[in-house]
């Protein structure tokens, strides 16, 4: 069996077209959606993510503001900027690119962002709302995964879903969303005793581990839907320098029923959902105006 490829680039292009139309409509009514991005330090991967987010905004007709700070920036300066952006009615989304330098209290920075502008969905209040099924900004990566599952009409109600990884930005919200959609969810992590036992019974397997090619074909139930969230850069071997996921695509594609590639899978969907949250925030602001 060769798995169906769930193309994140194609789905993103379709959704971004719809978002651009919504952004144009809002702009014509006097509310151009606007995302403010804060980048602290010179981490090259973070710089690439920020560049892609800003470019995604531009293409969709969303205004973007970029604020860059050096590695040794004072946390008070960044917090002051966030307060300013919170108070600015023309800004609808605020994103602080993670990770922050070690001398920052990451939690305090995320909590300083107004809940109404927390388009990354990392504020504790948004997380609480999500867990209770209330209206919330959903973290972009797991939200993008849900869109991918929807695009292939994956049956979620009653499905056995296994999520490897329990981070606040991927694993935990992913488990919440799958649970809300009616799946029976198991969350695995580094302390899981027999990982293969769990992965081999999954109808839907989500890998968010951060280890290149960790999930191999023999860990997958034949016909399962495999979602690879991982983004790793290979440091050695013939493919050194190339990106790969947490799933060993070559062996997995012969067993899975459907699979997301890396690159071109979950990655583009994450930015698409950030744009969607920004447009949603602007829509709410326009309704209130
Ligand atoms: P974290 O490092 O925060 O979390 C990794 C998780 O994997 C942890 O819960 C950890 O368990 C678990 N884990 C580690 N080793 C094992 C193991 N041997 N067996 C089972 N579980 C294990 O990573 P993130 O959630 O932030 O990211 C995960 C991956 O997704 C990374 O490759 C990252 O680059 C990528 N990513 C991709 C995005 C995209 O847009 N496509 C967006 C965000 C992330 P424990 O909690 O016990 O330590």
């Amino acid at each position: 069996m060769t798995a169906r490829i769930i193309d994140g680039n194609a789905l993103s292009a379709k959704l971004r077209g719809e978002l651009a139309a919504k952004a144009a409509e809002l702009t014509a009514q006097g509310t151009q959606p606007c995302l403010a991005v804060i980048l602290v330090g010179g981490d090259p991967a973070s710089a690439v993510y920020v560049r892609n987010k800003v470019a995604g905004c531009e293409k969709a007709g969303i205004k973007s503001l970029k604020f860059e700070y050096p590695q040794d920036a004072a946390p008070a300066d960044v917090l002051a900027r966030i307060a300013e952006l919170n108070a600015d009615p023309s800004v609808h989304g605020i994103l602080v690119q993670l990770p922050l330098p070690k001398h920052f209290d990451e939690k305090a920075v995320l909590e300083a962002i107004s809940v109404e502008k927390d388009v990354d969905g990392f504020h504790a209040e948004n997380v609480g709302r999500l867990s209770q099924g209330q209206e919330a900004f959903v973290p972009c990566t797991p939200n993008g995964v849900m869109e991918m599952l929807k695009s292939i009409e994956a049956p979620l109600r009653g499905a056995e879903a296994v999520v490897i990884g329990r981070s606040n930005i991927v694993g935990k919200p992913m488990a919440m969303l799958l649970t809300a959609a009616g799946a029976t969810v198991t969350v695995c992590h580094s302390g899981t005793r027999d990982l293969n036992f769990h992965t081999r019974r999954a109808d839907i397997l989500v890998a968010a581990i951060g280890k290149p090619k960790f999930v191999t074909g023999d860990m997958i139930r034949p016909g399962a839907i495999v979602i690879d969230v991982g983004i790793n850069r290979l440091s050695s071997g013939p493919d050194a320098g190339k990106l790969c996921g947490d799933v060993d695509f070559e062996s997995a594609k012969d067993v899975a029923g459907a699979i997301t590639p890396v690159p071109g899978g979950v990655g583009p969907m994450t930015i698409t959902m950030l744009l969607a949250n920004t447009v949603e925030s602007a829509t709410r602001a326009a309704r209130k105006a």
Side-chain angles (χ1 to χ4, degrees), residues 141-142 145 161-179 185-193 195-196 198-199 204-211 214-215 219 227-230 246-247:
T141 301
V145 171
V162 172
V163 179
I164 317 178
R166 57 176 166 180
S167 70
N168 288 337
I169 64 169
V170 188
K172 280 184 204 156
M174 187 75 254
M176 278 198 258
L177 291 170
L178 287 165
T179 304
V185 182
T186 304
V187 180
C188 298
H189 46 78
S190 64
T192 298
R193 229 179 356 218
L195 186 63
N196 291 14
H198 296 286
T199 60
I204 298 166
L205 178 61
V206 181
I209 312 158
K211 296 202 165 150
F214 182 87
V215 175
M219 296 168 71
I227 306 287
D228 189 354
V229 177
D246 288 345
V247 175

Side-chain angles (χ1 to χ4, degrees), residues 73-289:
D77 290 347
V78 173
L79 289 169
R81 175 71 70 190
I82 292 173
E84 200 179 284
L85 295 167
N86 280 341
D88 183 343
S90 72
V91 172
H92 307 104
I94 303 171
L95 177 155
V96 177
Q97 185 64 43
L98 301 179
L100 286 166
K102 293 257 180 302
H103 64 287
F104 274 76
D105 177 351
E106 206 163 271
K107 189 170 164 289
V109 172
L110 295 179
E111 302 288 285
I113 297 171
S114 151
V115 178
E116 285 77 32
K117 300 188 181 187
D118 173 38
V119 286
D120 251 344
F122 294 162
H123 192 292
E125 190 174 327
N126 268 318
V127 177
R129 282 168 179 256
L130 178 64
S131 77
Q132 293 188 350
Q134 296 178 31
E135 185 180 81
F137 284 119
V138 180
C140 302
T141 301
N143 206 11
V145 171
M146 294 307 286
E147 284 293 330
M148 295 180 106
L149 292 171
K150 197 165 110 188
S151 77
I152 60 163
E153 294 175 0
L156 299 179
R157 192 162 175 77
E160 289 289 338
V162 172
V163 179
I164 317 178
R166 57 176 166 180
S167 70
N168 288 337
I169 64 169
V170 188
K172 280 184 204 156
M174 187 75 254
M176 278 198 258
L177 291 170
L178 287 165
T179 304
T184 301
V185 182
T186 304
V187 180
C188 298
H189 46 78
S190 64
T192 298
R193 229 179 356 218
D194 185 352
L195 186 63
N196 291 14
F197 163 77
H198 296 286
T199 60
R200 280 191 195 130
R201 57 177 186 77
D203 300 313
I204 298 166
L205 178 61
V206 181
I209 312 158
K211 296 202 165 150
K213 303 186 184 187
F214 182 87
V215 175
T216 45
D218 59 319
M219 296 168 71
I220 296 168
R221 194 182 66 76
I225 298 168
V226 177
I227 306 287
D228 189 354
V229 177
I231 301 181
N232 310 288
R233 202 167 284 283
L234 291 168
S235 56
S236 58
D239 289 333
K242 284 196 183 160
L243 286 185
C244 80
D246 288 345
V247 175
D248 176 36
F249 187 83
E250 280 311 306
S251 62
K253 74 173 188 338
D254 295 334
V255 187
I259 188 167
T260 64
V262 178
V266 177
M269 288 301 293
T270 295
I271 298 186
T272 300
M273 300 326 286
L274 172 69
L275 305 180
N277 280 349
T278 304
V279 169
E280 172 60 26
S281 179
T283 306
R284 289 181 198 168
R287 234 184 268 137
K288 277 191 209 156

